[in-house]
Amino acid sequence: MGSPVDFLVLSPVCLRDDGLSLSRDGSRCECASGFGFVAGADGDIAASNATCRPCRAGMVKAEAGDRPCAVCGTGTVALTDGLTECSRCAAGSVASGDRDKCIPCTPGTHAPSSGMASCLKCASNEFSYVGAVACQPCPGDGTICAGGSLGTLIPPSVVLIVYGLVANVSIGKLFLAAASI
């Protein structure tokens, strides 16, 4: 009679980036909340070279596990790396395309509540300034209402140039957006 053969089962070795991002869960590596899972070179989640990386700004992960970080939803942002939840942009601003910062509404537009997907255009008899929560009626005394859109179309518009530099947004794209208002 032969002797029974014992099998040795090895647990994965989980590498740590900062000592807190990976935990052991029996047969697989898991990332803590705020950290995205990066599979090993062979794509195996139990690979010995699997790692966790902090979610970059604009992305989050709420729970521990072997999933990657997810992009924040419409109207929300993650301003720094390693966050577990997105936050809504304040009224008067909207999320950038990368969901990593809130951008104030441009003149002639407004965002009346937090978490809006885009700024709303003011009516033809209204105007607004940068970061407006509401549009204002144009004066009824014969004054040209130029605070919202007309004033920003006359190059060189100091408002769009300053805003573009402060918000790190393309000045050319701002002029094109102003022309469409």
Side-chain angles (χ1 to χ4, degrees):
M1 294 267 190
S3 63
V5 177
D6 291 329
F7 289 96
L8 177 64
V9 178
L10 298 174
S11 295
V13 176
C14 298
L15 302 177
R16 296 176 184 263
D17 285 355
D18 64 3
L20 298 174
S21 63
L22 285 175
S23 63
R24 290 296 203 95
D25 183 23
S27 64
R28 62 186 180 156
C29 299
E30 287 189 337
C31 298
S33 56
F35 289 79
F37 189 82
V38 180
D42 60 0
D44 183 2
I45 64 170
S48 62
N49 58 347
T51 60
C52 294
R53 301 275 185 246
C55 297
R56 68 169 178 78
M59 300 181 83
V60 296
K61 190 170 129 222
E63 297 176 4
D66 59 3
R67 295 185 179 233
C69 300
V71 176
C72 290
T74 302
T76 63
V77 295
L79 300 175
T80 60
D81 294 348
L83 294 180
T84 59
E85 63 184 40
C86 302
S87 57
R88 296 169 65 150
C89 290
S93 65
V94 294
S96 67
D98 289 336
R99 308 283 199 269
D100 60 351
K101 63 185 166 230
C102 294
I103 300 174
C105 293
T106 57
T109 65
H110 69 290
S113 60
S114 64
M116 293 196 60
S118 61
C119 297
L120 305 174
K121 181 180 172 184
C122 293
S124 61
N125 61 344
E126 295 179 327
F127 73 99
S128 71
Y129 298 107
V130 172
V133 174
C135 297
Q136 304 297 317
C138 295
D141 60 4
T143 305
I144 296 175
C145 190
S149 58
L150 180 60
T152 61
L153 290 176
I154 304 170
S157 171
V158 175
V159 174
L160 287 181
I161 293 170
V162 171
Y163 174 75
L165 294 172
V166 170
N168 198 22
V169 176
S170 165
I171 295 169
K173 288 181 180 178
L174 288 174
F175 275 103
L176 289 174
S180 68
I181 293 178

